[in-house]
Amino acid sequence: MASAATRSLSSLISHRRNPPSSSSSSSSSYHYCYAPTRRPITISVGSKTTRRPISIVAASSSSSPLAGAGADTDPNPTSAPAVSKNRRPADENIREEAARRRAEEEGLNGGGGGDCRHFSAWYAPFGSADGDGDAGGERYSLDEIVYRSRSGGLLDVRHDMCALARFPGSYWRELFDSRVGRTTWPYGSGVWSKKEWVLPGIDDEHIVSLFEGNSNLFWAERLGRDHLGGMPDLWVKHCGISHTGSFKDLGMTVLVSQVNRLRRAPLSRPIAGVGCASTGDTSAALSAYCAAAGIPAIVFLPADRISLAQLVQPISNGATVLSLDTDFDGCMRLIREVTAELPIYLANSLNSLRLEGQKTAAVEILQQFDWEVPDWVVVPGGNLGNIYAFYKGFEMCRALGLVDRLPRLVCAQAANANPLYRYYKSGWADFQPLTAAPTFASAIQIGDPVSVDRAVFALRATDGIVEEATEEELMDAMSLADRTGMFACPHTGVALAALFKLRDRRVIGVNDRTVVVSTAHGLKFTQSKIDYHASSIPDMACRFANPPVSAPKTVETGEDSIEEQINFFNLLPISD
Amino acid sequence: MASAATRSLSSLISHRRNPPSSSSSSSSSYHYCYAPTRRPITISVGSKTTRRPISIVAASSSSSPLAGAGADTDPNPTSAPAVSKNRRPADENIREEAARRRAEEEGLNGGGGGDCRHFSAWYAPFGSADGDGDAGGERYSLDEIVYRSRSGGLLDVRHDMCALARFPGSYWRELFDSRVGRTTWPYGSGVWSKKEWVLPGIDDEHIVSLFEGNSNLFWAERLGRDHLGGMPDLWVKHCGISHTGSFKDLGMTVLVSQVNRLRRAPLSRPIAGVGCASTGDTSAALSAYCAAAGIPAIVFLPADRISLAQLVQPISNGATVLSLDTDFDGCMRLIREVTAELPIYLANSLNSLRLEGQKTAAVEILQQFDWEVPDWVVVPGGNLGNIYAFYKGFEMCRALGLVDRLPRLVCAQAANANPLYRYYKSGWADFQPLTAAPTFASAIQIGDPVSVDRAVFALRATDGIVEEATEEELMDAMSLADRTGMFACPHTGVALAALFKLRDRRVIGVNDRTVVVSTAHGLKFTQSKIDYHASSIPDMACRFANPPVSAPKTVETGEDSIEEQINFFNLLPISD
C-alpha cells in the first residue's frame, strides 16, 4: 500500500531540472508541483454585507475601503477607508463568514474585474532581475512546492509591485491603520492585516491564524535614560510576546496557511503533513499552527539531542516527534530525501514564504511610529533570514510611498557564531563558514547561515552595520534590560549588547530613534537567567546578578522588637 | 538614622481605627494617609494639538473625541470620536507629550470645567450602599493607603456612575474602539484605553504601562468542533500572552501607576517601595512594573520554599527577594507589620486597585465581539478576585448602556482547592475554609480565598455556576487544548475541564457563545506538561501523552533503501 502511494506520488512530482521521464533519483531539488491552472486572484477588502454595522467613524460605514480606488487605470483614491465593525449572523462562524463574503464579492464582480483589485505574487530566484515584466525569467507559482531555484540558490517571493503601486502610500497607510483591532477574519492579525502584501492569492477562509503580530513596541524609557546616556527614543519590538513565544509565529502563519490552501486543492494525493528539523522556536511555531489547522506536523531530531523539556511545545501540540539515531546532518539528509519523495512539506529555513510574514513586523514598527521612520533597527542574526525580512518590509513601504526612506539596519551576532560579522569586517570580501561555538543565544548558534546573501543585500541597501557580542556582553545586556522591566531572551541580549557598543562608539547618537528587535519571550530561556543570577557561569562575573537576600534569624522569628526589625528593613537596597 | 526615619514616618501614619494619640501597636489596619487636599480631577481625552495628523477616518481629525459631548447637563453626544494619529515633536518623549497635553487642556479650561469631564473614583467598603450620594458613608480617596475597611472587610473601588452615565453607551463603545491601536500615551494599553473607568484621577504621564491588555481572543475552532460536540462559537481569552506571561499585568499596571503617582506627591517621606509575598505571577508582574518605573520592589518568601527557578522573574527584574526562615503565615505576619510601619506599599490580593485593571479584560471581550454579549464566561478561581473583576467589567458595560445584559459566569476550581465549589453546593449556606491539597494549578491552591464574598456577589448577580476539576481532568483538558493549537497553563485546564463537564450535562448548549479565560502562558508551567507527556505522574493515565517516536536503526543509518524508509514514514501517525 505504501509503495502504491509512493507510485501515485511519483506521478505527481514535476521534475523541473530533469524531464518527467528521467530516473527517479532522490535529488533534493525536485519541484513537487500542483495547480496547472491558476484561477484569477481576487482580493476583496472590506465587506459589502455588513449586517449590524457599528461605525467607529463618522464616515459612512457602507463604503468599502476600496470604494474610493476607482478603475485600474486611474485609481486616485481620495477618501479614507471606512472602519466598520462587522457582526456575522449567529449561524455562521468566522471562516464561513469569510467564505460567504468572497462568494458574494465574486458574484458581484463576475469572478474578477469591477472594483476588485488583482494583486499577485510568485517565487523568483533571489537576486534575479525584478519587475513583473520578466515573463521569460525563472518563476514559480506560490502553489508549487519548490524550495530552491534551478541553480540551487535561494528563492524570493516577488509581488506585482505595479499592481500595488496603483494605490498611493496614503491609501496603504490608511488601510493598514483601519484594520488594527478589526474583528473581521483575518484582519485582526498583524500579518493578515497586510494580506495584499503577504499572500494576495489566498482565500480568507483558508488562512490559519492565531492572531499573531500587533506586538508591543515597548518604550525602553529606563534603559535608555539610565544606561545608554539618556537616550530618550529607544524602543524594543517585542515579537516574542506571542502565541508560541517567538517571532517565528509571524512566518509560520503564512507557511501553514499556504499548506492549508494546497491541502484543499484538487490534488490526487494531498500534502500529508509538514516537517522540520529543529529543537527550537521553529518546531514550536510549526506544531502550534499545524495543530490549530489539523495538519500533521513532523519534527525530525537526533536522538541524543532530545530532551522532553526542549520539545515540550511540539510534543504538547501533538506533533510527531521523530527521534533518529543520527546527528543533525543525518537528519537533514533524511528529511530532504523523505520530503522529496513523500508529500510532506518542508518548513525549513530556506522557505521564503515565512519571510513574507516576518516582514510585516517592519511595517508594524512604522505604523506604531505613525509612519515615521526610525533611524536604526537592530536585529539579532543567526541564519540571517529575519534581517532580510525586516529590510523587505521597510523597502516595500518605501517603494510604495508609505514612507520616504529606510532605517539603517544593524545585524547583531554572538561572537561565538559570527560568520557575518567576519564577512562584514572583510569588507564583504571573503565569506567563511565556521563551526559555531556554544552560546546562550542558542537559536543563533549557526556557523553557515542559509540566508547570508539575503543579509548582505539588506545591509548594503540600508548602509547597515554588523556587530558582535561576547557571552558576557550579551548576558550582561540582557540582565540590565531585565532590571528596567523587560524579560529579555539571550538573543535580544545580543542585539542590546550591540546597541551598547554602537552607543559607546557614538555610531548611534543619543537622540537617534532606535528599535531593538526582541525575538523571543524570556520565559523560553529561564535557565540561562537562573545560572546568571546564581553566578554559576564559569568565567563570567555576572555583575548584575541579584540573588535573594537572607534576613537574620532574629528578624524572622520575631525575637527582635518591631523597631529592630524595621532597622533591618531600612538597610535593604530598596532605594532608587 | 533608621529610627529617625521611623519616627518621621510615625508622624505620617494616620491611625483610622485608633486616634493618632493612641499607642503605636502594630495593628495591621492602620491607614497610612496622604493627600489632605485633592486637586480637581481633570480628564482630557484626545489631543487638541495634533502636529501631523494622519487621519484614518473621513471625519475631521481636529475634533476632540469629546467635542460632541456638550455640557454637563445635556451631553447628548451624536458625533463619533475622531481617530487621529498624533505625532509628538522630536524633542519630546511620550511622557512629556502627555504632560504637555494635560497642561494645555488645563490652560484652555482654567483647570477644569469647559468641555473637560470630571470623573472620579474612591474606595468604599465592599457591599456597602452604592451611589455617590452617600457622603456620610465610609469612603477613602484612592490617594490614601488603605487596604481594609474600618470593620476589617474588603474595599471596593467605586466610580461616580452618574458622571459616567452622562454619556450614552454608544459614546463609550466608540471611544474605546477608537483607542485600539492608538499611539498616544497611554491609550495603546488595553487597560488605559478605558482610563476613565479605571483610575480617572491619574495624570497620563504618571502611568506605568507595558502595553498590557488587548490580548488575543482566540477562536478555539478545532477544540470546539472536534472535542465539544461541534461547538462553533468557543473562544479563549489569552490573558497570559503578555509582558510577564499572566493576567496579573492588567492589575499591576494600575497598582504601580497609583504608587508612582503617590511617590510624585509632596509627601514628607515618599513611599519607599512596594512589597508582596508570592512565588508566582503576582511577584513577577509587580517586579516588572516596578522595574519599569524605577520603584523598588520587595518580595517576601519563606526560605525553604525558594528556588531560583520559581523566582527567576522577580530576581531578573531586580526585586529585593527577601528569604525569611519562616513559613508563609510568618511571612504574611511580618509583611503586615512592616508595611504598617514602613512606607512600603502592600501589593497583596486584598488590593482592590488591581481588580480595576483586571476588569478591563471583560470590556475587551465585549469589544472583541463587537459589543455582543457572550452566553458564558468561564474563569479559573483561587483567591477569587478575578471572577469579581470580570463581573465588574461586564456590569459597568451593562449599567452604562454599552450592552443590555450580562453573560453567565462560571467559576472553575481545582477539586484539590475547592472551598467555593463546596459553598456553592451548599446553596451558599455554609462557607468552610479548608487546607488546599497540592494541585498542578498551583496559583489557585488556596483554601481560604480572600475574595470569597466578591465571588459570591458576582455569581449571584449573573446566575453563575461553580464547577470543579480533578487533577486528571484538568491535565487532560489542558493537553487536549494543546493538541488543537494552544499551549494552555494548568489553570486554564481547570476552566476547560469545567467547560467539558458543563457541556456533557448540557448546561452549556452546543451553540452557546462561550469564552474561557486563560490566565497564564503555558511557558510558565512547562514542567507539568513534561511530566504528563512522559507519563510520569502517579495515578494518572495521561491519555493524551505524546512521547517522541523512535525510528528503527536501519532507517537512520540509511541501510534501508529509500523505498523501505518511506514505508516506515508512511506508518507514522500523521494522518488526520
Side-chain angles (χ1 to χ4, degrees):
Chain A
M1 203 188 105
S3 45
T6 311
R7 272 193 300 277
S8 74
L9 168 70
S10 298
S11 65
L12 254 170
I13 296 174
S14 154
H15 297 216
R16 292 208 162 260
R17 201 189 283 175
N18 309 310
S21 59
S22 79
S23 79
S24 62
S25 90
S26 60
S27 155
S28 63
S29 64
Y30 289 151
H31 295 96
Y32 169 52
C33 178
Y34 139 71
T37 59
R38 258 168 70 201
R39 68 172 190 77
I41 292 164
T42 305
I43 302 298
S44 47
V45 186
S47 166
K48 292 197 179 334
T49 55
T50 304
R51 302 289 172 105
R52 295 182 44 205
I54 300 175
S55 171
I56 64 167
V57 297
S60 160
S61 64
S62 65
S63 68
S64 153
L66 278 165
D72 275 12
T73 47
D74 182 19
N76 192 29
T78 49
S79 74
V83 182
S84 61
K85 283 211 157 189
N86 185 47
R87 268 313 308 149
R88 63 192 160 82
D91 58 348
E92 236 181 21
N93 71 39
I94 54 181
R95 249 184 235 292
E96 291 162 354
E97 181 194 32
R100 172 176 53 76
R101 282 192 295 115
R102 181 170 58 86
E104 286 171 354
E105 293 279 343
E106 284 179 356
L108 220 61
N109 302 308
D115 62 359
C116 282
R117 295 277 77 74
H118 295 253
F119 303 122
S120 64
W122 57 88
Y123 294 117
F126 174 79
S128 66
D130 212 9
D132 50 348
D134 61 338
E138 182 183 353
R139 56 189 271 179
Y140 310 100
S141 159
L142 297 186
D143 290 339
E144 292 187 60
I145 297 175
V146 44
Y147 308 115
R148 285 191 178 275
S149 73
R150 255 178 243 140
S151 65
L154 297 168
L155 291 175
D156 201 26
V157 173
R158 295 277 168 77
H159 289 265
D160 181 348
M161 294 294 280
C162 289
L164 295 169
R166 282 200 293 262
F167 299 87
S170 59
Y171 170 81
W172 292 114
R173 286 196 305 257
E174 289 160 15
L175 181 69
F176 296 160
D177 282 348
S178 76
R179 287 178 178 163
V180 176
R182 276 287 278 279
T183 54
T184 306
W185 179 269
Y187 300 125
S189 154
V191 171
W192 297 106
S193 62
K194 286 96 186 168
K195 182 188 163 183
E196 294 81 355
W197 291 21
V198 174
L199 270 195
I202 196 166
D203 296 330
D204 287 347
E205 70 265 32
H206 293 160
I207 286 173
V208 181
S209 170
L210 305 176
F211 304 90
E212 50 290 317
N214 287 325
S215 62
N216 184 356
L217 182 62
F218 171 85
W219 180 36
E221 180 183 15
R222 274 195 76 208
L223 187 67
R225 188 185 62 210
D226 297 351
H227 302 294
L228 283 152
M231 218 179 163
D233 222 354
L234 174 63
W235 304 75
V236 177
K237 177 69 173 168
H238 277 298
C239 298
I241 301 179
S242 78
H243 195 85
T244 76
S246 88
F247 77 101
K248 302 276 183 181
D249 290 6
L250 301 175
M252 212 51 84
T253 184
V254 179
L255 185 147
V256 175
S257 293
Q258 177 65 15
V259 169
N260 195 40
R261 168 182 165 87
L262 297 182
R263 279 165 58 92
R264 284 150 197 274
L267 285 168
S268 65
R269 190 182 179 210
I271 296 175
V274 188
C276 78
S278 156
T279 51
D281 297 335
T282 299
S283 62
L286 174 66
S287 305
Y289 279 85
C290 282
I295 298 172
I298 315 167
V299 180
F300 296 78
L301 287 173
D304 61 341
R305 303 281 186 91
I306 290 183
S307 80
L308 267 180
Q310 281 177 290
L311 291 173
V312 62
Q313 287 180 288
I315 289 279
S316 299
N317 288 140
T320 299
V321 174
L322 201 62
S323 155
L324 302 169
D325 195 12
T326 176
D327 58 10
F328 252 109
D329 287 342
C331 275
M332 280 309 301
R333 182 185 52 77
L334 197 61
I335 202 175
R336 273 198 301 268
E337 285 178 13
V338 166
T339 54
E341 296 291 330
L342 276 183
I344 296 173
Y345 193 88
L346 183 56
N348 66 359
S349 47
L350 283 173
N351 197 296
S352 48
L353 281 175
R354 285 163 58 187
L355 302 185
E356 293 306 290
Q358 290 167 217
K359 82 181 177 193
T360 63
V363 185
E364 247 176 51
I365 287 172
L366 297 174
Q367 194 170 14
Q368 288 169 315
F369 283 133
D370 298 328
W371 305 103
E372 288 203 349
V373 182
D375 300 302
W376 298 92
V377 176
V378 188
V379 186
N383 236 335
L384 300 177
N386 207 28
I387 185 130
Y388 178 68
F390 271 90
Y391 159 74
K392 202 170 178 185
F394 288 124
E395 170 57 20
M396 265 185 101
C397 287
R398 193 205 57 76
L400 292 169
L402 286 74
V403 296
D404 57 6
R405 65 185 182 94
L406 296 175
R408 291 182 71 184
L409 296 183
V410 177
C411 186
Q413 290 210 299
N416 283 359
N418 64 352
L420 187 75
Y421 177 75
R422 291 168 188 237
Y423 191 18
Y424 169 75
K425 282 292 182 188
S426 78
W428 304 127
D430 183 30
F431 177 73
Q432 293 288 349
L434 48 81
T435 304
T439 166
F440 284 105
S442 53
I444 57 175
Q445 185 188 327
I446 292 162
D448 190 6
V450 163
S451 293
V452 60
D453 293 343
R454 288 171 172 152
V456 173
F457 190 90
L459 290 163
R460 283 177 183 271
T462 59
D463 193 14
I465 290 175
V466 186
E467 190 47 87
E468 65 168 0
T470 66
E471 294 300 291
E472 179 150 19
E473 286 167 344
L474 74 90
M475 290 298 283
D476 280 351
M478 174 187 85
S479 304
L480 209 50
D482 288 354
R483 287 266 180 133
T484 65
M486 285 178 257
F487 196 66
C489 73
H491 317 90
T492 310
V494 173
L496 289 166
L499 168 64
F500 277 98
K501 289 177 159 181
L502 294 170
R503 278 288 298 128
D504 275 350
R505 297 208 306 269
R506 302 287 185 271
V507 176
I508 294 183
V510 67
N511 288 314
D512 289 357
R513 176 173 288 178
T514 305
V515 179
V516 172
V517 174
S518 174
T519 46
H521 203 298
L523 288 171
K524 287 192 145 188
F525 295 88
T526 51
Q527 192 56 51
S528 63
K529 292 177 187 283
I530 293 167
D531 295 343
Y532 185 92
H533 290 288
S535 296
S536 66
I537 302 172
D539 305 322
M540 196 178 288
C542 302
R543 55 197 177 107
F544 303 113
N546 177 39
V549 177
S550 286
K553 185 82 181 165
T554 49
V555 168
E556 299 136 9
T557 54
E559 288 167 23
D560 286 1
S561 69
I562 183 68
E563 191 159 277
E564 283 169 319
Q565 293 188 18
I566 287 167
N567 285 352
F568 164 74
F569 286 103
N570 277 333
L571 294 174
L572 290 176
I574 58 167
S575 57
D576 266 308
Chain B
M1 204 187 103
S3 45
T6 311
R7 273 194 298 276
S8 75
L9 168 70
S10 299
S11 65
L12 253 171
I13 296 174
S14 154
H15 297 216
R16 290 207 165 261
R17 200 189 284 174
N18 309 309
S21 57
S22 79
S23 78
S24 63
S25 88
S26 61
S27 155
S28 64
S29 63
Y30 289 151
H31 296 95
Y32 169 51
C33 178
Y34 138 72
T37 58
R38 257 168 71 200
R39 68 171 191 76
I41 293 164
T42 305
I43 301 297
S44 47
V45 186
S47 167
K48 293 196 177 337
T49 56
T50 303
R51 303 289 172 105
R52 294 183 44 205
I54 300 174
S55 171
I56 64 166
V57 297
S60 160
S61 64
S62 65
S63 69
S64 151
L66 278 165
D72 276 11
T73 48
D74 182 20
N76 192 29
T78 49
S79 73
V83 183
S84 61
K85 282 213 158 188
N86 185 49
R87 269 312 309 148
R88 66 192 159 80
D91 58 348
E92 235 180 21
N93 70 39
I94 55 181
R95 250 183 236 293
E96 292 162 352
E97 180 194 32
R100 171 176 56 75
R101 282 192 294 116
R102 181 170 58 86
E104 286 172 353
E105 292 280 345
E106 284 179 355
L108 219 61
N109 302 310
D115 61 359
C116 282
R117 296 276 77 76
H118 294 253
F119 303 121
S120 63
W122 58 89
Y123 294 116
F126 174 78
S128 66
D130 212 9
D132 51 348
D134 62 339
E138 183 182 353
R139 55 189 273 179
Y140 309 99
S141 159
L142 297 186
D143 290 338
E144 292 187 61
I145 296 174
V146 44
Y147 307 116
R148 284 191 178 275
S149 72
R150 256 178 241 141
S151 66
L154 297 167
L155 291 175
D156 201 27
V157 174
R158 297 276 169 78
H159 289 265
D160 181 348
M161 294 294 281
C162 289
L164 294 169
R166 282 201 292 264
F167 299 86
S170 59
Y171 169 81
W172 292 113
R173 286 197 304 257
E174 289 160 14
L175 182 68
F176 297 159
D177 282 349
S178 76
R179 287 176 178 164
V180 176
R182 277 286 279 280
T183 54
T184 305
W185 179 267
Y187 300 126
S189 154
V191 171
W192 298 106
S193 62
K194 286 96 186 169
K195 182 187 162 184
E196 295 82 356
W197 292 22
V198 174
L199 270 194
I202 196 165
D203 297 329
D204 287 348
E205 70 265 31
H206 293 160
I207 286 172
V208 181
S209 170
L210 305 176
F211 304 90
E212 50 290 316
N214 288 325
S215 62
N216 184 356
L217 183 62
F218 171 86
W219 180 35
E221 180 184 15
R222 274 195 76 209
L223 186 67
R225 187 185 62 211
D226 297 351
H227 302 293
L228 283 153
M231 216 178 164
D233 221 354
L234 175 61
W235 303 76
V236 176
K237 177 69 173 167
H238 277 299
C239 297
I241 301 179
S242 78
H243 195 85
T244 77
S246 89
F247 78 100
K248 302 277 183 181
D249 290 6
L250 300 174
M252 212 52 85
T253 184
V254 179
L255 185 147
V256 175
S257 293
Q258 178 64 16
V259 169
N260 195 40
R261 168 181 165 85
L262 297 181
R263 279 166 57 92
R264 285 150 197 274
L267 286 169
S268 64
R269 189 181 181 213
I271 297 175
V274 188
C276 77
S278 156
T279 51
D281 297 336
T282 299
S283 62
L286 173 67
S287 304
Y289 279 86
C290 282
I295 297 173
I298 314 168
V299 179
F300 296 78
L301 286 174
D304 62 340
R305 303 281 187 94
I306 291 183
S307 80
L308 266 180
Q310 281 177 290
L311 292 173
V312 62
Q313 286 180 287
I315 290 279
S316 299
N317 289 140
T320 298
V321 174
L322 202 62
S323 155
L324 302 170
D325 195 11
T326 177
D327 57 10
F328 252 110
D329 287 341
C331 274
M332 281 310 301
R333 182 183 54 76
L334 198 62
I335 202 174
R336 274 199 300 268
E337 285 178 13
V338 166
T339 55
E341 297 290 331
L342 277 182
I344 297 173
Y345 192 89
L346 184 55
N348 65 1
S349 47
L350 284 173
N351 197 296
S352 48
L353 281 175
R354 286 163 59 188
L355 302 185
E356 293 305 290
Q358 289 168 216
K359 81 181 178 193
T360 62
V363 185
E364 247 176 50
I365 287 172
L366 296 175
Q367 194 170 14
Q368 288 169 314
F369 284 132
D370 297 329
W371 305 103
E372 287 203 350
V373 182
D375 299 303
W376 299 92
V377 176
V378 189
V379 186
N383 237 334
L384 301 177
N386 205 30
I387 185 130
Y388 178 68
F390 272 90
Y391 160 73
K392 203 170 177 184
F394 288 124
E395 170 57 21
M396 266 185 98
C397 288
R398 192 204 57 78
L400 292 169
L402 285 74
V403 296
D404 58 6
R405 65 185 183 94
L406 297 174
R408 291 183 71 182
L409 295 183
V410 177
C411 185
Q413 291 210 300
N416 284 359
N418 64 351
L420 187 75
Y421 177 74
R422 291 168 189 238
Y423 191 18
Y424 169 75
K425 282 292 182 188
S426 78
W428 303 126
D430 182 31
F431 178 72
Q432 293 288 348
L434 49 81
T435 304
T439 166
F440 284 105
S442 54
I444 58 175
Q445 184 188 327
I446 292 163
D448 191 6
V450 163
S451 293
V452 60
D453 293 343
R454 289 170 171 152
V456 173
F457 189 90
L459 290 163
R460 283 178 184 269
T462 59
D463 193 15
I465 291 175
V466 187
E467 191 45 89
E468 65 169 0
T470 67
E471 293 302 291
E472 180 151 18
E473 287 167 345
L474 74 90
M475 290 298 283
D476 280 351
M478 175 187 85
S479 304
L480 209 48
D482 288 354
R483 288 267 180 131
T484 65
M486 286 178 256
F487 196 66
C489 74
H491 317 90
T492 309
V494 173
L496 290 166
L499 168 64
F500 276 99
K501 289 177 158 182
L502 294 171
R503 279 287 299 126
D504 275 351
R505 298 207 306 268
R506 302 287 185 271
V507 176
I508 295 183
V510 67
N511 288 314
D512 290 356
R513 177 174 288 179
T514 305
V515 180
V516 172
V517 174
S518 174
T519 47
H521 204 298
L523 287 171
K524 288 192 144 188
F525 296 87
T526 51
Q527 191 57 50
S528 63
K529 291 176 189 283
I530 293 166
D531 295 343
Y532 185 93
H533 290 288
S535 296
S536 66
I537 302 173
D539 304 321
M540 196 178 287
C542 303
R543 55 197 177 107
F544 304 113
N546 178 38
V549 177
S550 287
K553 185 83 181 164
T554 48
V555 168
E556 301 135 9
T557 54
E559 289 166 23
D560 286 0
S561 69
I562 183 69
E563 191 157 277
E564 283 169 319
Q565 293 188 18
I566 287 167
N567 285 351
F568 164 74
F569 285 103
N570 277 333
L571 295 174
L572 289 177
I574 57 166
S575 58
D576 266 312

